[in-house]
Amino acid sequence: VLAGGQWITEKVTLDNMPIFVKAGSFIPTAPGLMNTKQYNPAKLVVTYYPSAKPSAYTLFDDDGKTNKSWERKQYELITFKADGKRTITVTSNGGRYPGKPASRTFTLRVVNVDRAPAAVTINGKKAQPTFDAASRTLSVKVSFNGRPTTVKY
């Protein structure tokens, strides 16, 4: 972990490329895509870089085709909020658009976790996470149907 507000010089190779991310950031990805036509909004990986401070990120999603979907109100906003105390809440604005999935599966990845948590819950129910000790990464699949969903780890 590095402090901000400084220049950093790193030797890098194509095999070893560092990623510098601000603490508290949520980064959504759709691994394996060769082009945007392959994008499936029902399956995303969201990586959270923990912070002791609360943070939030809002994902804009639409059908990827409609021109000016924002003006036509054909979109959904999904917000990820972390309280800085190992709780992440996912909410939706309830937006709609053509082809919007009724349910989504987010693989929530939390990096820089020192050890596997004793329990991970989703809306109070025990979840089946995985923990990679080598990369210090906790992963859990989260089903999201637009209703507020809370993950505790």
Side-chain angles (χ1 to χ4, degrees):
V1 177
L2 301 170
Q6 63 177 318
W7 288 95
I8 300 167
T9 302
E10 288 281 326
K11 289 186 178 186
V12 299
T13 66
L14 290 177
D15 294 331
N16 186 14
M17 188 74 61
I19 299 173
F20 299 99
V21 180
K22 182 178 179 181
S25 295
F26 290 89
I27 310 285
T29 56
L33 296 186
M34 297 304 285
N35 60 59
T36 57
K37 288 182 182 179
Q38 295 174 330
Y39 172 66
N40 179 356
K43 295 183 181 184
L44 288 176
V45 174
V46 178
T47 303
Y48 171 61
Y49 295 82
S51 173
K53 298 178 182 176
S55 62
Y57 167 77
T58 301
L59 172 75
F60 175 90
D61 202 21
D62 64 8
D63 67 4
K65 301 172 191 167
T66 303
N67 189 22
K68 298 184 180 181
S69 63
W70 183 266
E71 291 177 4
R72 297 173 188 221
K73 298 186 183 195
Q74 294 181 346
Y75 62 90
E76 181 178 27
L77 299 176
I78 300 172
T79 301
F80 298 82
K81 287 185 181 178
D83 68 354
K85 299 175 186 169
R86 296 186 167 241
T87 299
I88 297 170
T89 303
V90 185
T91 58
S92 169
N93 70 335
R96 297 174 186 216
Y97 61 86
K100 175 187 163 188
S103 179
R104 301 172 189 260
T105 300
F106 297 118
T107 299
L108 179 62
R109 298 177 65 235
V110 182
V111 300
N112 296 327
V113 177
D114 291 329
R115 62 185 177 279
V120 175
T121 62
I122 301 173
N123 290 339
K125 295 180 183 176
K126 190 172 181 178
Q128 299 297 318
T130 60
F131 179 72
D132 182 333
S135 66
R136 299 174 44 217
T137 302
L138 173 70
S139 297
V140 63
K141 291 203 182 292
V142 178
S143 294
F144 182 70
N145 60 8
R147 293 187 195 109
T149 302
T150 301
V151 178
K152 293 186 179 195
Y153 63 97

